[in-house]
Amino acid sequence: MLLPLLLAVLWGGSGAQDPRFQLKVQEWVSVQEGLCVVVSCSIESYPRRQWTDSTPAYGSWYKDQADTGVDLPVATNKPDQEVQTGAKGRFQLLGNLSRSCSLLIRDICLEDHAAYFFRLERGPYVRYNFKEYKFFLEVTALTQKPEIYIPETLEPGRQVTLLCVFPGTSEECPSPTLSWRGAAFPSDGAGPRTSHFSALSLTPRPQDHDTELTCGADLSRKGVSTETTVRLNVAHAPRNLVISVSWSNVSAPEPQGNSSHLEAQKGQFLRLLCTAESVPLATLSWALGDRILSWAHPSGSRTLELVLPWVKAEDAGRYTCRAENRLGSESGSLDLSVQYAPENLRVMASQANRTVLESFGNCTSIPVLEGQSLRLLCVTHSNPPAQLSWTRAGQTLAPSQLSDPGLLELPQIQTEQEGEFTCWAQNPLGSQNLSLSLLVVYPPQLLGPSCSWEDGGLHCSCSSRAQPAPSLRWRLGEELLDGNLSNASVKVTSSSTGPWVNSSLSLGEGLSSSLRLSCEAQNVHGAQSATVLLQPDEKGLASTAFTSGVFLGLGLAALLLLCLLPVLLKALRKRGTQAGVLAPDPAPAPAPAPGETPRSRISRRSTILDYINVIPRAGPLAPKRKGKPRGPSQAPPPDAHTLEPRMNQKELHFVSHNCPGPKSAMQVPDSENHPEELHYAVLNFPDPRPRESQGPKDFHSEYAAVQFH
């Protein structure tokens, strides 16, 4: 009897492994502070010696290194067996020890961190410490929290049930105490509940969005607790839309605040960022005016970026960011003003009564008909608006309208106004100018023709001034002499200097008895012509008669001039018109002497016909040019004639004047009733020889001739 007890003591106290005693237990158990854990343990086998089924079995758990004969266990089912003070009520054996040796540990604390072994006692023989089957309890900090189950989006006004569950606890472990708190439910809502889960019924309101809701779990009598907090996501329309601005690609955007105006210089970098709060996420878009620039479908981002890497003038306008979801929309706007120096400067011009504007660029020449009006409007693009002004020859011109300094009106263009006009546009960011050359054009003004006998031939010259320079040509009878020409009987020489064109005509032998020649000037703005009719005397006088005729003619001409002077002065004062001279047809001349030709007689009398100025065809009067007298630079060239015959008279009137000497019958017109008419005088000189005829029958009424006998 003593030997078995001794062996049992030896086996139980020595810790040597006895293959007859086998136990199965977790070797490593990790648990967080304050929680509860069940360590699974089962007795596989032990000797059936000195005990029966009715013999009670006692089990105890000790901390490692404990002396089972002296130290107290942490848990036991032996009656009247004390346990360690710190483990009392927390460590508990589960089962009836027939096979189970599982251990329940509640309210785990850091002091429980240790290794544990199991001791079995049954009858006088079985008293065994299973030190070879120990488990290690690892105690860590409390991180486990309750889990809240809540829909992702709460619809305002619609009731929903929320759940709070504390996971990881077994049925053997006591339930934690769960409680709710938050602003989304009334104070008389769900109170604390000791359970593994807690349900909360909630009807969210729009103002409950983004508020906190907390579920707390009280785990032990020592006050160990944990909690989980969520933010309510209550559906609502977009709100709190903010537009931010960045001037570089790396700087953080800054909110624009309450200002809706933004200024940027042309060429700058600009980044606009739009953010808005909404549930569910809103669709964001950027628009310039009515044009959509970019948009972003909801994809987890609450921002939309718009980048202008190089701001242009056409980028100016109202930029609108719009956020929209199924519950509504919100938008914000920003007015972008792009500042830049004047550019695209141009001039719009209209002439006379035209309503169509023509656009002109820099260094353009504008032809304008003399006497017409010209309207120049200077236009540019700039921001801030440019100050416009006109200058000419370095002098600033007064604006035609103070309200529109870019408008320059020239009511009647004169040649003195030719030159360069410059429009200036300036603002704080820069300036630009544009120059136009004003070219005054006008139709030809004819001087001549004038003719004289020189070196046995007839020499005529004609000059014309026009802009652009005219073409000048001669017409001999019906034959047109165009350009420079030279042959045995005709020579035409032309030259030009600026607006002046000069032409001379030389006619040699072989002229007909009646000579008619015309000088014609023409350019794109008009034409003018003058005709000379020369009728040589057919009688052929001797040198004595010729000499007498010369002196007689000169005397009569001087006398006639004195008689007509009052009439001519009156006509000049009223009309400013030079009177032409008309003479009656001459009597037929005597037959030529033997060997004498009409051409030789003309040559002998060329000293009298030193120049002939005759009346041209009737037509409209040339416009009288206004403005200052021409300066030296506008004078005709030296070879131009200063005589400007009156062209294109409307009517021919005969003026009667009586004075001593030869008489002729004349009629005085009513000049007061004809302010546009030009008066001419017909001079009749008595011929000392009998008159045989009334002149050549081919003499036309539109010409007049003066003959001296």
Side-chain angles (χ1 to χ4, degrees), residues 49 73 210 270 300 331 343 492 521 618 622 661:
R49 189 171 181 178
D210 207 33
L270 179 60
S331 62
E343 59 184 29
V492 177

PDB file of all heavy atoms in Angstrom, residues 49 73 210 270 300 331 343 492 521 618 622 661:
ATOM      1  N   ARG A  49      -6.087   2.999 -11.586  1.00  0.00           N
ATOM      2  CA  ARG A  49      -5.500   2.265 -10.446  1.00  0.00           C
ATOM      3  C   ARG A  49      -5.971   2.911  -9.151  1.00  0.00           C
ATOM      4  O   ARG A  49      -5.827   4.122  -8.981  1.00  0.00           O
ATOM      5  CB  ARG A  49      -3.988   2.297 -10.548  1.00  0.00           C
ATOM      6  CG  ARG A  49      -3.304   1.372  -9.536  1.00  0.00           C
ATOM      7  CD  ARG A  49      -1.836   1.307  -9.846  1.00  0.00           C
ATOM      8  NE  ARG A  49      -1.162   0.406  -8.914  1.00  0.00           N
ATOM      9  CZ  ARG A  49       0.122   0.114  -8.959  1.00  0.00           C
ATOM     10  NH1 ARG A  49       0.884   0.655  -9.930  1.00  0.00           N
ATOM     11  NH2 ARG A  49       0.672  -0.717  -8.078  1.00  0.00           N
ATOM     12  N   PRO A  73      -3.336  27.194  -6.320  1.00  0.00           N
ATOM     13  CA  PRO A  73      -3.645  27.197  -7.747  1.00  0.00           C
ATOM     14  C   PRO A  73      -4.410  28.456  -8.132  1.00  0.00           C
ATOM     15  O   PRO A  73      -4.892  29.195  -7.287  1.00  0.00           O
ATOM     16  CB  PRO A  73      -4.481  25.935  -7.909  1.00  0.00           C
ATOM     17  CG  PRO A  73      -5.176  25.784  -6.608  1.00  0.00           C
ATOM     18  CD  PRO A  73      -4.192  26.268  -5.556  1.00  0.00           C
ATOM     19  N   ASP A 210     -22.654  63.728 -41.452  1.00  0.00           N
ATOM     20  CA  ASP A 210     -21.288  63.927 -40.973  1.00  0.00           C
ATOM     21  C   ASP A 210     -21.220  64.091 -39.452  1.00  0.00           C
ATOM     22  O   ASP A 210     -20.200  64.531 -38.918  1.00  0.00           O
ATOM     23  CB  ASP A 210     -20.645  65.137 -41.661  1.00  0.00           C
ATOM     24  CG  ASP A 210     -19.130  65.003 -41.716  1.00  0.00           C
ATOM     25  OD1 ASP A 210     -18.636  63.860 -41.824  1.00  0.00           O
ATOM     26  OD2 ASP A 210     -18.434  66.030 -41.622  1.00  0.00           O
ATOM     27  N   LEU A 270      -2.557  79.283 -65.350  1.00  0.00           N
ATOM     28  CA  LEU A 270      -3.690  79.401 -64.434  1.00  0.00           C
ATOM     29  C   LEU A 270      -4.304  78.017 -64.235  1.00  0.00           C
ATOM     30  O   LEU A 270      -4.555  77.279 -65.197  1.00  0.00           O
ATOM     31  CB  LEU A 270      -4.742  80.362 -64.995  1.00  0.00           C
ATOM     32  CG  LEU A 270      -6.006  80.560 -64.152  1.00  0.00           C
ATOM     33  CD1 LEU A 270      -5.675  81.113 -62.785  1.00  0.00           C
ATOM     34  CD2 LEU A 270      -6.996  81.465 -64.865  1.00  0.00           C
ATOM     35  N   GLY A 300     -15.247  58.815 -56.794  1.00  0.00           N
ATOM     36  CA  GLY A 300     -14.553  58.871 -55.515  1.00  0.00           C
ATOM     37  C   GLY A 300     -13.838  60.177 -55.274  1.00  0.00           C
ATOM     38  O   GLY A 300     -13.311  60.409 -54.193  1.00  0.00           O
ATOM     39  N   SER A 331     -23.761  75.577 -57.970  1.00  0.00           N
ATOM     40  CA  SER A 331     -22.760  76.083 -58.906  1.00  0.00           C
ATOM     41  C   SER A 331     -22.092  77.324 -58.331  1.00  0.00           C
ATOM     42  O   SER A 331     -22.643  78.006 -57.469  1.00  0.00           O
ATOM     43  CB  SER A 331     -23.397  76.403 -60.260  1.00  0.00           C
ATOM     44  OG  SER A 331     -24.381  77.422 -60.125  1.00  0.00           O
ATOM     45  N   GLU A 343      -3.234  95.149 -79.399  1.00  0.00           N
ATOM     46  CA  GLU A 343      -2.846  94.267 -80.490  1.00  0.00           C
ATOM     47  C   GLU A 343      -3.925  94.325 -81.563  1.00  0.00           C
ATOM     48  O   GLU A 343      -5.014  94.850 -81.354  1.00  0.00           O
ATOM     49  CB  GLU A 343      -2.656  92.830 -80.001  1.00  0.00           C
ATOM     50  CG  GLU A 343      -3.873  92.218 -79.366  1.00  0.00           C
ATOM     51  CD  GLU A 343      -3.617  90.835 -78.816  1.00  0.00           C
ATOM     52  OE1 GLU A 343      -2.467  90.545 -78.416  1.00  0.00           O
ATOM     53  OE2 GLU A 343      -4.569  90.032 -78.784  1.00  0.00           O
ATOM     54  N   VAL A 492       6.646 114.231-131.797  1.00  0.00           N
ATOM     55  CA  VAL A 492       5.986 114.357-130.504  1.00  0.00           C
ATOM     56  C   VAL A 492       6.972 113.923-129.427  1.00  0.00           C
ATOM     57  O   VAL A 492       7.548 112.830-129.499  1.00  0.00           O
ATOM     58  CB  VAL A 492       4.720 113.484-130.421  1.00  0.00           C
ATOM     59  CG1 VAL A 492       4.099 113.592-129.026  1.00  0.00           C
ATOM     60  CG2 VAL A 492       3.705 113.905-131.476  1.00  0.00           C
ATOM     61  N   ALA A 521      -5.851 114.988-122.161  1.00  0.00           N
ATOM     62  CA  ALA A 521      -5.269 114.449-120.912  1.00  0.00           C
ATOM     63  C   ALA A 521      -6.309 113.568-120.238  1.00  0.00           C
ATOM     64  O   ALA A 521      -7.489 113.916-120.192  1.00  0.00           O
ATOM     65  CB  ALA A 521      -4.851 115.574-119.979  1.00  0.00           C
ATOM     66  N   ALA A 618     -17.652 122.942-125.868  1.00  0.00           N
ATOM     67  CA  ALA A 618     -18.448 123.208-124.655  1.00  0.00           C
ATOM     68  C   ALA A 618     -18.571 121.939-123.826  1.00  0.00           C
ATOM     69  O   ALA A 618     -18.590 120.845-124.343  1.00  0.00           O
ATOM     70  CB  ALA A 618     -19.831 123.730-125.043  1.00  0.00           C
ATOM     71  N   ALA A 622     -14.740 122.597-115.111  1.00  0.00           N
ATOM     72  CA  ALA A 622     -13.865 121.854-114.198  1.00  0.00           C
ATOM     73  C   ALA A 622     -14.055 122.376-112.793  1.00  0.00           C
ATOM     74  O   ALA A 622     -14.228 123.567-112.587  1.00  0.00           O
ATOM     75  CB  ALA A 622     -12.406 122.008-114.644  1.00  0.00           C
ATOM     76  N   GLY A 661     -13.645 154.525-133.670  1.00  0.00           N
ATOM     77  CA  GLY A 661     -12.923 153.667-134.607  1.00  0.00           C
ATOM     78  C   GLY A 661     -13.900 152.735-135.265  1.00  0.00           C
ATOM     79  O   GLY A 661     -15.087 153.006-135.378  1.00  0.00           O
TER      80      GLY A 661
END
